[in-house]
Amino acid sequence: MSAFSRFTPLVSVLPSTVPFVGPEAIERQRGLKVEARIGANENGFGPAPSVLAAMREQAGDIWKYNDPENFDLREALAAHLGVTAANIAIGGGIDELLGQIVRMVIEPKMPVVTSLGGYPTFNFHVAGFGGRLVTVPYVNDREDLSGLLDAVKRESAPLVYFANPDNPMGSWWDADRIVAFARALPETCLLVLDEAYSETGPAGSLPPIEALIGLPNVVRTRTFSKAYGLAGARVGYAISTPGTALAFDKIRNHFGMNRLATAAALAALKDQAYLAEVVGNIHAARERIASIARANQLSPLPSATNFVAIDAGRDGTHARSIVDGLMQHGVFIRMPGVAPLNRCVRVSVGPERDMARFEEALPEVLRLLD
Amino acid sequence: MSAFSRFTPLVSVLPSTVPFVGPEAIERQRGLKVEARIGANENGFGPAPSVLAAMREQAGDIWKYNDPENFDLREALAAHLGVTAANIAIGGGIDELLGQIVRMVIEPKMPVVTSLGGYPTFNFHVAGFGGRLVTVPYVNDREDLSGLLDAVKRESAPLVYFANPDNPMGSWWDADRIVAFARALPETCLLVLDEAYSETGPAGSLPPIEALIGLPNVVRTRTFSKAYGLAGARVGYAISTPGTALAFDKIRNHFGMNRLATAAALAALKDQAYLAEVVGNIHAARERIASIARANQLSPLPSATNFVAIDAGRDGTHARSIVDGLMQHGVFIRMPGVAPLNRCVRVSVGPERDMARFEEALPEVLRLLD
């Protein structure tokens, strides 16, 4: 297939890959229809009615570019978090922010530390800028804080990724352990503390903003995709020192934000009553998923996120059979990518109709596998 | 201000700049309100009612990530253009695609050819990847095709940018001249043929798809931001050989598209009757702007776009005074950034209420400047 002959050496050798196969692609490839979409850690409870109303009301403004400074959203987030707007950078979801962070720090062959089986999109960006991944295994299904610190020091790595609560396992660390980890890092190593699931964790698992806001080498990333139910809108934000936040302005696509998405995020932030209601629904759905797992002699892991990792008791092949089998019933779920995490399947929360479908399909799938 | 200490050498020296100051920032900085938003080459006629209806109907799906393969939109565009989906790459507006293209081709210090005064966002991306801009002056307010070709050969440049129709001057070349230019380029030079204004040019100004689709070193970029009235949605696309298109998949943010924006683009593409109506409105508004200019003894340039460059007859300082003076009347316009183009001001089309406000304000502004 004829392609341009002078791409950079790095781009020339990269694969044309996608970090995750989307449910739509599975439908097309397998000729199946997704009836319960509980695989991508989306939030099937959806955004607040007030958010949908804001989007519908402001749809007519879509002919205008969004404010490139994201002024209103940064101000609103700053007020919400108790920081200043200068501490906030806005991006098209955490995924885009991760790409920008990697670009800001990594040159070809530089080491980047993450957990073995951690977020594939981060790894995709590291590969995309030529970085060398140094991975640290999970311990007891949690990211290994001391192992990550050791790897950073051993490699003199300029960048480390850590998610709390964690994806794909749903596990977490207490705030004080995370703060200690961040403070123990060399100043020359940037910590990406991915807090995509910050709204759904237990009390004490989220470091207070003030505990880390003074550290120039810490960037906390959060999103409207999970608890706020706006995955399709693509709005994420980074919290850091003003000096570090300013670096995003050097390279980001200033006119890249969708205007309605920004309006949706603003409306979502205002409706904290709905957020509290949804977080309650998420907690209940986690329990529901765990109870379905137990009823089928599988072991749900404790979760601080909007999904539950379920230990299926055998290996990755077995877990893959469950994922594929459920899809035959129209139930879309996913699973971790590497051993030993891939003994698990990962089921995202959703409304009761999705939970019921999962409950119905799982024993049928397992029966065929025995 | 304390920032992380180990950004790449390139990022460390980049300025925290924005290619354009948004109208919202001008409102905040100057305490003025934009009453006529005709400066950012948006389309004040807005998208089709059918597009707004599609967005409102599908708003409730915003909790789902968009299909990372953009399958439906690529299929629809392929059918519309008479190519295959493999010829199409989707991005968050042409701006994002330009950043990806620069990243795919440019390493630090490599020469990149463009016109002096051409699209600043392209230049922003070139700087962001450390490229060295080689600029060719406009000739008679048109990009200089032979000058660009000479510069590419002289510098052995791997990348050249050319917009047809042109921004900021509104000028254009006939299709056969552009095809000849593309074919004369060395195979080792990628041409970005930016066709953001492809829908509004005169007959004969747009090369047929089949004239360039076989060239691996040509990427044509188009958008839903201009004639389709969806600037705030951020949907653009690139047309190239399948081999070249595949390179986008190596580095793009696969889950980066807004789901409603994709739905809006699909609906917009279906409503070609509305597009024809809007293009008629754009032509009429261009005439209206030109006639207001002439009534004030200024010289409108011919335009193939959704804006008109108006020669104000003096230098950049004078043009700047007109831009600033109009803003005092709530009329937001822009102007080219460098001489001699900056003797002009640039007025985007809009509905009659905006044209009337411009017509009223312009003579008052000019009177104070004489």
Side-chain angles (χ1 to χ4, degrees):
Chain A
M1 190 155 46
S2 80
F4 177 59
S5 58
R6 205 170 158 185
F7 289 126
T8 65
L10 172 58
V11 167
S12 297
V13 299
L14 286 174
S16 290
T17 185
V18 52
F20 295 99
V21 179
E24 296 84 359
I26 295 173
E27 287 181 320
R28 289 189 293 269
Q29 288 159 12
R30 299 186 52 187
L32 297 170
K33 190 159 164 40
V34 169
E35 307 281 357
R37 186 167 160 133
I38 49 175
N41 299 351
E42 296 159 334
N43 173 356
F45 298 109
S50 63
V51 170
L52 293 178
M55 292 175 70
R56 289 180 177 126
E57 271 162 32
Q58 295 177 52
D61 282 342
I62 197 71
W63 62 273
K64 302 176 192 173
Y65 289 107
N66 190 58
D67 172 17
E69 298 181 4
N70 296 300
F71 183 87
D72 293 341
L73 184 54
R74 286 165 62 233
E75 289 285 334
L77 283 166
H80 182 70
L81 296 167
V83 298
T84 72
N87 294 108
I88 309 283
I90 306 289
I94 291 177
D95 283 0
E96 183 180 50
L97 293 165
L98 291 178
Q100 291 166 347
I101 292 167
V102 173
R103 177 175 163 193
M104 293 191 294
V105 177
I106 295 305
E107 295 184 299
K109 303 197 176 138
M110 281 187 177
V112 178
V113 174
T114 187
S115 297
L116 180 62
Y119 191 47
T121 303
F122 178 74
N123 300 353
F124 171 82
H125 289 307
V126 170
F129 288 99
R132 176 171 60 83
L133 277 176
V134 177
T135 57
V136 177
Y138 281 63
V139 173
N140 295 328
D141 298 322
R142 292 207 292 182
E143 296 196 62
D144 178 7
L145 282 173
S146 59
L148 291 166
L149 182 60
D150 288 348
V152 164
K153 290 181 174 171
R154 187 181 69 241
E155 300 274 354
S156 187
L159 185 61
V160 58
Y161 174 89
F162 172 70
N164 185 68
D166 176 65
N167 177 19
M169 301 312 281
S171 53
W172 69 94
W173 284 98
D174 284 341
D176 55 353
R177 291 294 306 272
I178 293 159
V179 171
F181 171 72
R183 294 209 174 129
L185 285 169
E187 284 178 16
T188 51
C189 179
L190 186 76
L191 166 62
V192 181
L193 177 55
D194 188 344
E195 300 180 323
Y197 303 96
S198 61
E199 296 88 358
T200 53
S205 63
L206 198 66
I209 288 293
E210 57 273 21
L212 299 173
I213 195 67
L215 298 179
N217 66 325
V218 175
V219 177
R220 303 171 78 164
T221 55
R222 297 188 182 177
T223 183
F224 287 89
S225 297
K226 304 301 177 184
Y228 287 105
L230 288 168
R234 314 316 296 128
V235 186
Y237 55 103
I239 312 165
S240 68
T241 62
T244 296
L246 215 51
F248 288 93
D249 281 342
K250 298 178 172 194
I251 59 163
R252 72 187 176 89
N253 185 14
H254 288 260
F255 285 84
M257 292 298 292
N258 178 295
R259 188 175 184 101
L260 268 193
T262 307
L266 269 168
L269 204 57
K270 271 192 195 134
D271 200 338
Q272 291 293 313
Y274 182 83
L275 178 68
E277 184 187 323
V278 159
V279 169
N281 290 339
I282 290 171
H283 288 175
R286 286 199 313 232
E287 283 310 307
R288 182 90 167 88
I289 293 168
S291 129
I292 294 167
R294 280 188 290 259
N296 287 275
Q297 288 73 52
L298 305 181
S299 305
L301 275 56
S303 169
T305 61
N306 72 347
F307 61 85
V308 177
I310 299 172
D311 187 338
R314 286 155 67 177
D315 63 1
T317 307
H318 179 64
R320 169 58 57 200
S321 300
I322 297 175
V323 170
D324 290 346
L326 283 170
M327 186 62 212
Q328 292 284 352
H329 294 260
V331 178
F332 163 65
I333 69 165
R334 284 201 179 119
M335 59 179 285
V338 300
L341 313 184
N342 66 0
R343 72 190 191 283
C344 298
V345 298
R346 198 193 66 180
V347 181
S348 309
V349 301
E352 177 50 29
R353 63 169 182 279
D354 294 343
M355 299 295 98
R357 195 174 278 269
F358 172 58
E359 182 175 38
E360 194 184 319
L362 182 61
E364 297 189 33
V365 170
L366 292 173
R367 194 175 315 127
L368 288 176
L369 295 179
D370 275 338
Chain B
M1 192 156 45
S2 82
F4 178 58
S5 59
R6 206 169 157 184
F7 290 127
T8 66
L10 173 58
V11 167
S12 296
V13 299
L14 286 174
S16 290
T17 186
V18 52
F20 294 100
V21 178
E24 295 85 358
I26 295 173
E27 287 182 319
R28 289 189 293 268
Q29 287 159 12
R30 299 185 53 186
L32 297 169
K33 191 160 165 38
V34 170
E35 306 281 358
R37 185 168 161 132
I38 48 174
N41 299 350
E42 295 158 334
N43 174 356
F45 298 108
S50 63
V51 171
L52 293 179
M55 291 174 70
R56 290 182 176 125
E57 271 162 33
Q58 296 177 53
D61 281 342
I62 197 71
W63 64 272
K64 301 177 192 171
Y65 289 106
N66 191 58
D67 172 18
E69 297 181 5
N70 296 298
F71 182 87
D72 294 339
L73 183 54
R74 286 165 61 233
E75 288 286 333
L77 283 166
H80 182 70
L81 296 167
V83 297
T84 72
N87 294 107
I88 309 283
I90 305 289
I94 291 177
D95 283 0
E96 183 179 51
L97 293 164
L98 291 177
Q100 290 166 348
I101 292 167
V102 173
R103 178 176 163 192
M104 293 191 293
V105 178
I106 296 305
E107 296 183 297
K109 304 198 175 136
M110 280 187 176
V112 178
V113 174
T114 187
S115 297
L116 180 61
Y119 191 46
T121 303
F122 178 74
N123 300 353
F124 170 82
H125 289 307
V126 170
F129 287 99
R132 176 171 59 83
L133 277 175
V134 177
T135 57
V136 177
Y138 282 62
V139 173
N140 296 327
D141 298 321
R142 291 206 292 182
E143 295 197 60
D144 178 8
L145 281 174
S146 59
L148 291 166
L149 181 60
D150 289 348
V152 164
K153 290 181 174 171
R154 188 181 68 241
E155 300 274 353
S156 185
L159 186 61
V160 58
Y161 174 90
F162 172 71
N164 185 67
D166 176 65
N167 177 20
M169 301 312 279
S171 53
W172 68 97
W173 285 98
D174 284 341
D176 55 355
R177 290 295 304 272
I178 293 160
V179 172
F181 171 71
R183 294 208 174 129
L185 285 169
E187 284 177 16
T188 50
C189 178
L190 186 75
L191 167 63
V192 181
L193 176 56
D194 187 344
E195 300 181 321
Y197 303 96
S198 62
E199 296 88 358
T200 53
S205 63
L206 197 67
I209 287 293
E210 57 272 22
L212 299 173
I213 195 68
L215 298 180
N217 65 326
V218 175
V219 177
R220 303 170 78 164
T221 56
R222 297 188 182 177
T223 182
F224 287 88
S225 298
K226 305 301 178 185
Y228 288 104
L230 288 168
R234 314 316 296 127
V235 187
Y237 55 103
I239 312 164
S240 68
T241 62
T244 295
L246 215 50
F248 288 93
D249 281 342
K250 299 179 172 194
I251 59 162
R252 72 186 176 91
N253 184 13
H254 288 259
F255 285 84
M257 291 298 293
N258 179 295
R259 188 174 184 101
L260 268 192
T262 307
L266 270 168
L269 204 58
K270 271 191 195 137
D271 199 339
Q272 292 291 315
Y274 182 84
L275 178 68
E277 185 188 323
V278 159
V279 169
N281 290 339
I282 290 172
H283 288 174
R286 285 199 312 232
E287 283 310 307
R288 183 89 167 88
I289 294 168
S291 127
I292 294 167
R294 281 188 290 261
N296 287 274
Q297 288 75 53
L298 305 181
S299 305
L301 273 55
S303 169
T305 60
N306 72 347
F307 60 85
V308 178
I310 299 172
D311 187 339
R314 287 154 67 177
D315 63 1
T317 307
H318 179 63
R320 171 56 57 199
S321 300
I322 297 174
V323 170
D324 290 345
L326 283 169
M327 187 60 213
Q328 291 285 351
H329 293 260
V331 177
F332 164 64
I333 69 166
R334 283 200 179 121
M335 58 180 284
V338 300
L341 313 184
N342 67 359
R343 71 191 193 284
C344 298
V345 298
R346 197 192 69 179
V347 181
S348 308
V349 301
E352 176 52 28
R353 64 170 183 279
D354 294 343
M355 299 294 99
R357 194 174 278 267
F358 172 58
E359 181 174 39
E360 196 185 318
L362 183 61
E364 296 189 34
V365 170
L366 292 173
R367 195 175 313 127
L368 288 176
L369 295 180
D370 275 339

